[in-house]
Amino acid sequence: MILLLLALVLAGSGIYLYRREMQEQAAGAVLVRSQNESVLSVMTSLIPEETAGTVASAVKQSDQEKERAAQTLPMLEIDGFSCVGILTFEKQKLTWAVVNIESDTEDCYLPVAVSGHPADGDLIIRGFDHKEQFAALQKTEPGERVTFRDINGVTYHYAVTDTVKLDQEQVRKTLAGQSTGLILTGEAMRRTDDIALQLYYEIGEKYRFVVDCCPDRTEN
């Protein structure tokens, strides 16, 4: 009888904890979605009409040339965030407001432009592991079209070339001593010179999921 009561208590505790976890996840999803929608609504009303931008190919630029040509993304302050653009995955109908690295705080649930500039062919954007954010990118397939529109309305077009899930130890070894530049990815951990946009997020402490994009030749 005691064992039966103990089993019932444990089962009840398990159900309670599961429900609490589901409630917390649901509340988190609402928060992430509402923050993105709130910022996006203001951005789309203020950003000028789209104009075409040209994505540089990293392979065509030496490090010195890229350093000389390095640009800073223009910013627009919205709800306390320094917003730099709008990221869109056309096929999946996913759209996010993107902020700069200075807005990367505990209260921010938006993707962050870590470094680079579309015109330099080296833009890197970091998100986080949430179904309302970059976790949705696990369904991404090569060939999907991606756009990044800065706050001046200049729009850069990309196509997904690859997605990869990396072990964090591989990432640490690959990035050792590398302070700038695109993250090295791929089966053989070799850099694809045509990568012009890279999106990633951490899966716990063990893995990193990466989406590599090249310039969309049909648009640029």
Side-chain angles (χ1 to χ4, degrees):
M1 180 63 71
I2 294 176
L3 291 176
L4 178 59
L5 288 173
L6 181 59
L8 289 172
V9 170
L10 291 175
S13 298
I15 293 172
Y16 169 76
L17 291 173
Y18 174 77
R19 287 179 175 172
R20 181 176 177 180
E21 182 180 353
M22 292 299 100
Q23 290 172 346
E24 289 177 350
Q25 288 183 9
V30 170
L31 182 59
V32 174
R33 189 187 313 118
S34 63
Q35 185 177 91
N36 185 52
E37 291 176 349
S38 174
V39 175
L40 270 178
S41 65
V42 178
M43 288 185 74
T44 52
S45 68
L46 296 177
I47 292 178
E49 291 186 9
E50 293 186 23
T51 57
T54 301
V55 179
S57 294
V59 69
K60 294 180 180 179
Q61 291 182 303
S62 68
D63 290 339
Q64 288 183 339
E65 288 171 335
K66 289 179 71 175
E67 186 176 346
R68 286 196 299 269
Q71 304 178 61
T72 302
L73 283 166
M75 293 182 293
L76 182 64
E77 293 295 324
I78 300 175
D79 294 344
F81 302 118
S82 297
C83 302
V84 294
I86 299 174
L87 179 69
T88 302
F89 277 73
E90 296 181 5
K91 182 179 178 181
Q92 299 185 60
K93 294 180 170 54
L94 298 172
T95 302
W96 294 289
V98 180
V99 300
N100 77 346
I101 194 70
E102 294 176 2
S103 294
D104 186 19
T105 64
E106 292 183 359
D107 298 325
C108 181
Y109 304 102
L110 302 169
V112 177
V114 177
S115 64
H117 192 286
D120 296 333
D122 59 357
L123 180 61
I124 299 176
I125 299 176
R126 183 186 72 234
F128 66 95
D129 187 5
H130 195 286
K131 66 179 181 179
E132 291 291 333
Q133 220 226 56
F134 274 18
L137 297 183
Q138 293 211 32
K139 298 178 181 178
T140 301
E141 298 178 350
E144 286 190 32
R145 299 178 70 182
V146 183
T147 62
F148 179 81
R149 183 182 177 193
D150 74 18
I151 60 141
N152 289 328
V154 182
T155 303
Y156 302 88
H157 298 267
Y158 305 88
V160 174
T161 58
D162 192 21
T163 63
V164 61
K165 184 178 179 181
L166 301 174
D167 183 280
Q168 290 285 20
E169 185 59 30
Q170 289 179 307
V171 174
R172 281 191 289 271
K173 288 180 180 179
T174 304
L175 295 179
Q178 181 181 330
S179 59
T180 60
L182 296 177
I183 303 165
L184 307 186
T185 63
E187 223 170 50
M189 298 301 291
R190 294 176 299 181
R191 173 173 176 170
T192 300
D193 286 324
D194 205 29
I195 295 174
L197 168 67
Q198 196 164 69
L199 316 169
Y200 75 94
Y201 71 93
E202 314 293 353
I203 305 176
E205 298 181 356
K206 198 168 184 183
Y207 297 103
R208 172 178 291 187
F209 187 81
V210 182
V211 179
D212 290 332
C213 304
C214 68
D216 186 344
R217 303 304 182 193
T218 64
E219 296 285 348
N220 292 292

